Amino acid sequence: MSNESEELGEGSSPAAWIAVVIMLVGVFIGTLALFLDVLPAVFIGAAIVPIGLIVGAVLARLGFGAHGNRGRTAPSQGARS
């Protein structure tokens, strides 16, 4: 049986979001540069992708990952009347 109380996180963390956004920017730059035939910018976009991975890993180690205690807000107390 599975433990229902164990939260897996599913990547919903500041570290994951920031890493993915940085990598998407790199892919966008590389794709646009490839389409426009600007070879140096293709390599710049390709270099940004692993930078995003490194930034995500560093943020996760600093506690901003799915199992970290930073970057979390308190649970909602519900609507007050």
Side-chain angles (χ1 to χ4, degrees):
M1 294 195 114
S2 66
N3 185 0
E4 303 263 341
S5 66
E6 182 179 323
E7 181 182 336
L8 296 178
E10 298 180 10
S12 294
S13 67
W17 280 101
I18 292 171
V20 168
V21 167
I22 291 171
M23 289 187 276
L24 282 174
V25 167
V27 169
F28 175 76
I29 290 171
T31 303
L32 185 64
L34 187 63
F35 179 73
L36 297 175
D37 197 25
V38 182
L39 196 58
V42 173
F43 292 117
I44 291 170
I48 291 174
V49 174
I51 290 171
L53 184 65
I54 293 167
V55 167
V58 168
L59 286 173
R61 299 273 287 182
L62 290 174
F64 291 99
H67 299 290
N69 57 357
R70 294 174 134 184
R72 301 269 181 201
T73 57
S76 175
Q77 298 296 325
R80 294 185 182 197
S81 334

